[in-house]
Amino acid sequence: MEFRILATDGRARAGELITDHGVVPTPTITLNYTRALEKWGFKPEDITTARDVILLRNTFWMREAGATDVREGVDWPGPVMADSGGFQMVSLGRHVRQTLRGIGLAVKGKQSFITPREVVEWGRGANVDLIMPLDNTVYTMDKNPLKFVWSAIMTAVWFKRSRGIADDKLYYIVQGGLNKLARQISLWDARRQLRGKILTANGGTPQNAVAAVAIGGLAWDEPRSAMYKMVEFCVSRLPDDKPRHLLGVCKPIDILECIERGIDSFDGIAATREGRHGRVWLWGGQYFDINNARYATDKTGLDSQCNCPVCRSGVSRADIRARFKAGDREVMRQLMAHNWHQNYRLISTARQAILEGRFQELKTSWRG
Ligand SMILES: [Zn+2]
């Protein structure tokens, strides 16, 4: 993977991620192809026809299902990022055992164990373009500061074991929640790894620089302002020449705030998940719930400012609502596609604004 910065506007950057499966203009947002989408029988092309974005899949579940190629079951010619699923591990709570060796999981009587090395080895073998290693994350609002320090150390130890397999595709995940000491530890290690030339313990071969960096452990019930401050804290301590990903963040206002702070890529499931539940995103940052009775007679389209296929087709809110209430799967797909398109359009518009030096203007207009 290579990264090129084409323009900056304040700390916001417009660039290109060059992968083996195509060039992605940045800032960018991934299309998270989740287990929920798979379970509902949706394919990536049901959500978008865009191909200059990254598809995101989950290493842990794919590996569990015996997949040997990250494009298994999907027709996706573009780049794919694989997340190790550390985040899901936390939500599985007591079923998970995390040690310095890796993560053990016991669900419905089935035991499995995954090591940091296996995550990257699977990624390389399965033709993944951008690999998120195994990381240790803690619920952001946890009251015990030691947990954050431990998570930064554990992530560093796991990362050391992830090296030397696919360094040119590998992200370093900075952990530590809102705890500055933990973040400092993680950022210190991240800088060494991104710079490369680290001697191994036995004085062996110097290692290559790692390709990119991600910030994890945020967007988990903390106040938005605290998240933005921590993004700023991290970005100011990271090298400028590497791409920066923000894990699990994809609400439009967060995207704009974090692009402004120097983030190049985002992922998250909010657009599709909220669409599936009938929450419609509007250009400018407003939302409405299609379940609300006031839309039963509303003959306008979802969003007059949206040019997605659903809005262009002229279908009315009233019609969408009636079909949504009846459990129509196609309308569920349309709502997911519309929401995702809002993000795609936002990120493309933001990129253009950075290239033209008027990012602030866009951000102000969005807040209206
Ligand atoms: Zn639309």
Short mmCIF file of all heavy atoms in Angstrom, two decimals, residues 302-303 306-308 310-311 338 341-342, ligand 1:
data_model
loop_
_atom_site.label_atom_id
_atom_site.label_comp_id
_atom_site.label_asym_id
_atom_site.label_seq_id
_atom_site.Cartn_x
_atom_site.Cartn_y
_atom_site.Cartn_z
N LEU A 302 -37.35 11.00 -0.19
CA LEU A 302 -36.62 10.89 1.07
C LEU A 302 -35.85 12.17 1.37
O LEU A 302 -35.91 12.69 2.46
CB LEU A 302 -35.63 9.71 1.01
CG LEU A 302 -36.19 8.30 1.15
CD1 LEU A 302 -35.04 7.29 1.04
CD2 LEU A 302 -36.94 8.12 2.46
N ASP A 303 -35.11 12.67 0.35
CA ASP A 303 -34.28 13.85 0.56
C ASP A 303 -34.14 14.56 -0.79
O ASP A 303 -33.55 14.02 -1.71
CB ASP A 303 -32.91 13.42 1.10
CG ASP A 303 -32.00 14.61 1.39
OD1 ASP A 303 -32.37 15.76 1.06
OD2 ASP A 303 -30.91 14.38 1.96
N CYS A 306 -30.68 14.73 -2.34
CA CYS A 306 -29.91 13.49 -2.54
C CYS A 306 -30.07 13.01 -3.99
O CYS A 306 -31.17 13.07 -4.55
CB CYS A 306 -30.39 12.42 -1.58
SG CYS A 306 -29.52 10.85 -1.77
N ASN A 307 -28.97 12.54 -4.58
CA ASN A 307 -29.06 12.05 -5.95
C ASN A 307 -28.81 10.54 -6.03
O ASN A 307 -28.36 10.03 -7.04
CB ASN A 307 -28.09 12.82 -6.86
CG ASN A 307 -26.64 12.62 -6.43
OD1 ASN A 307 -26.38 12.02 -5.39
ND2 ASN A 307 -25.71 13.10 -7.22
N CYS A 308 -29.10 9.83 -4.93
CA CYS A 308 -28.92 8.37 -4.94
C CYS A 308 -30.03 7.75 -5.80
O CYS A 308 -31.05 8.38 -6.06
CB CYS A 308 -28.92 7.80 -3.53
SG CYS A 308 -30.55 7.49 -2.83
N VAL A 310 -32.34 5.73 -5.23
CA VAL A 310 -33.66 5.67 -4.58
C VAL A 310 -34.35 7.03 -4.70
O VAL A 310 -35.52 7.12 -5.10
CB VAL A 310 -33.53 5.29 -3.08
CG1 VAL A 310 -34.90 5.12 -2.46
CG2 VAL A 310 -32.67 4.05 -2.91
N CYS A 311 -33.62 8.10 -4.37
CA CYS A 311 -34.22 9.44 -4.42
C CYS A 311 -34.51 9.85 -5.86
O CYS A 311 -35.52 10.48 -6.13
CB CYS A 311 -33.31 10.44 -3.72
SG CYS A 311 -33.23 10.15 -1.94
N HIS A 338 -29.59 4.51 0.63
CA HIS A 338 -29.71 5.98 0.69
C HIS A 338 -28.79 6.55 1.78
O HIS A 338 -28.02 7.49 1.52
CB HIS A 338 -31.16 6.38 0.97
CG HIS A 338 -31.29 7.80 1.44
ND1 HIS A 338 -31.28 8.87 0.58
CD2 HIS A 338 -31.37 8.32 2.70
CE1 HIS A 338 -31.37 9.99 1.29
NE2 HIS A 338 -31.43 9.68 2.57
N HIS A 341 -25.17 6.28 0.85
CA HIS A 341 -24.86 7.23 -0.21
C HIS A 341 -24.64 8.64 0.36
O HIS A 341 -23.81 9.40 -0.14
CB HIS A 341 -25.97 7.25 -1.25
CG HIS A 341 -25.67 8.10 -2.44
ND1 HIS A 341 -24.93 7.64 -3.51
CD2 HIS A 341 -25.95 9.38 -2.70
CE1 HIS A 341 -24.79 8.61 -4.38
NE2 HIS A 341 -25.39 9.69 -3.92
N GLN A 342 -25.40 8.99 1.40
CA GLN A 342 -25.22 10.30 2.03
C GLN A 342 -23.78 10.45 2.52
O GLN A 342 -23.15 11.49 2.32
CB GLN A 342 -26.17 10.46 3.24
CG GLN A 342 -27.63 10.53 2.88
CD GLN A 342 -28.06 11.94 2.44
OE1 GLN A 342 -27.25 12.83 2.27
NE2 GLN A 342 -29.34 12.11 2.24
ZN ZN B 1 -31.12 9.24 -1.46
#
